[in-house]
Amino acid sequence: MKDHLVIFDTTLRDGEQSPGASMTKEEKVRIAKQLEKLRVDVIEAGFPAASQGDFESVQAVASAVKDSTVCGLARAVEKDIMRAGEAIKLANAGRIHTFIATSPIHMEKKLRMTPNQVVERAVWAIKRARDFTDDVEFSPEDAGRSDLDFLCRVIEAAIDAGATTINIPDTVGYNVPNQFGNLFKALIERIPNSDKAIFSAHCHNDLGLAAANSLAAVRNGARQVECTLNGLGERAGNTALEEVVMAIKTRQDIFSVDTRINTQEILATSRLVSNITGFAVQPNKAIVGANAFAHESGIHQDGVLKHRETYEIMRAEDVGWSTNKMVMGKHSGRNAFKTRLEELGIDFETEQELNDAFIRFKELADRKHEIYDEDLQSLVTDNNIQRVENEIYRLISLKSSMGTGEPSNAEVVLWMQGEELSASANGSGVVDATFKAIESLVQSGTTLELYSVSNVTNGTDSLGETTVRLEKGGRIVNGMGSDTDIVLASAKAYVNALNKIAGEQVKDHPQASV
Ligand code: KIV
Ligand code: ZN
């Protein structure tokens, strides 16, 4: 019998801490349902004390998800633990994850607390969390740079206080595999009550070692790995779920553990996360990148055709590639559309929303012959974009022109808080002209940090998905748009980003000092 490795997904919490990746409640619920389908054991749904919106998002995920444990993060303070406890109340299985920093630099410079005070606070927080649930996880933040003797002391006390999972974060991505593996070995051997808790690895990818460090931890006794889809997360991100899960599945000769992940759902989940957050997946990304299974060189192709294992260590189908079937077309009816969306985990709150989405589907089917699941995901996300809360700007129409040796021009009509206004601008291309025309109306004072376009499926009639990242006063948002016309997709993404930056709530960062 192999040990079970708990897969703890923190896309909705640590992933969301990535500047620009913030998600609405509806988006979080959609991702959470897909994570449930992927069969992750634990979904860390957010940091409920950050804002009322974050609290409601965790609560909504807790109500929507039945088969995975839903977890809320809390600093080791009363307000956070109470909020997390309330937010997970409706979950079938709920967990509170509380943490406090234990490295000398964090204790001295951030917390301004002595080691004794830190141990005392950790014990208090765990006991308080146990008032809400029996499933309590404790993290000594920045464990990767903490003193081993002190870590042993605080963890022993944490387990005595009732922590059932001990998570070891390499908060700043400083560790290397040997060292991180040895840390687990030492902790498990030296802490007298270590058999009373599951040890967990939480790695950041600053040196590109997050997956390697997590796997080293598993080799040395970790039985939970914390990860995100596509490695989403602050700075260089977190451990990528798809990399750890597939390494374990592919190298069963090395890892004596099993996960319950339905690996065929990996690609769909990766796409949904990228689609909603606007963080594109690089083509050469392991497992989920467009080139991950494309054997382009002639020699490789020949080898693969003759005997698959010559150059392939995993089957593309096992992670959800090539399930890319044409699902719908021009003649598909409303019922078929609704059923397929339900299969994709997409529900609508009202009939009106479903009708709007169906109209958009028909419009798309007029322009595009074959409609794939990815198109439907994109279409529905874009439909959500049109329903942003507190909408301030809406694109009414766009006309653009360009020609060789002529300036590109765009004319836009924008709805702005009840008024329709139009503007025209020239630019170095039609997208540039469009953004300039919109800016001349809105005068947002934002800086464009990123503009990217990718195709959802193959072919020149594919939907183009556009991401626009705007910055203002240190706040960053990603706006998304999709359309078979990439200029229109770009305009939608720009307007979406403007709405987000105007309406974004101020929220606490969990790792800032209390
Ligand atoms: O990286 C980290 O230390 C964290 C903690 C909140 C667990 O994300
Ligand atoms: Zn983290």
Side-chain angles (χ1 to χ4, degrees), residues 13-14 171 202 204 238 511:
R13 196 280 295 171
D14 221 346
T171 304
H202 176 112
H204 282 266
N238 288 63
Q511 283 156 285

Coordinates of all heavy atoms in Angstrom, one line a residue, residues 13-14 171 202 204 238 511, ligand 2:
R13 N -5.6 31.4 -3.2 CA -5.1 32.2 -2.1 C -3.7 32.7 -2.4 O -3.5 33.9 -2.8 CB -5.1 31.4 -0.8 CG -5.0 32.3 0.5 CD -3.5 32.7 0.8 NE -2.7 31.6 1.1 CZ -1.3 31.7 1.3 NH1 -0.7 32.9 1.1 NH2 -0.6 30.6 1.6
D14 N -2.7 31.8 -2.4 CA -1.3 32.3 -2.7 C -1.2 32.7 -4.2 O -0.6 33.7 -4.5 CB -0.3 31.2 -2.4 CG 1.0 31.8 -1.7 OD1 1.1 33.0 -1.8 OD2 1.8 31.0 -1.2
T171 N 9.3 30.4 2.1 CA 8.5 31.6 1.7 C 9.2 32.4 0.7 O 8.6 33.0 -0.2 CB 8.3 32.4 3.0 OG1 7.7 31.6 4.0 CG2 7.5 33.7 2.8
H202 N 5.6 23.7 1.2 CA 5.1 24.9 0.5 C 6.2 25.7 0.0 O 6.9 26.4 0.7 CB 4.3 25.7 1.6 CG 3.7 27.0 1.1 ND1 2.3 27.2 0.9 CD2 4.3 28.1 0.6 CE1 2.1 28.4 0.5 NE2 3.3 29.0 0.3
H204 N 8.3 28.3 -2.9 CA 8.2 29.3 -3.9 C 9.3 29.2 -4.9 O 10.3 28.5 -4.6 CB 8.2 30.7 -3.2 CG 6.8 31.0 -2.6 ND1 5.9 31.8 -3.3 CD2 6.3 30.7 -1.4 CE1 4.8 31.8 -2.5 NE2 5.0 31.2 -1.4
N238 N 4.4 29.8 -7.1 CA 4.5 28.6 -6.2 C 4.8 27.4 -7.0 O 4.9 27.4 -8.2 CB 3.1 28.5 -5.6 CG 2.7 29.5 -4.6 OD1 2.7 30.7 -4.9 ND2 2.6 29.1 -3.3
Q511 N 0.7 38.5 4.5 CA 2.0 38.4 5.0 C 2.6 39.8 5.4 O 3.8 39.9 5.7 CB 2.9 37.7 4.0 CG 2.6 36.2 4.1 CD 3.0 35.4 2.8 OE1 2.2 35.5 1.8 NE2 4.1 34.7 2.8
Ligands
ZN2 ZN 3.4 31.1 0.0

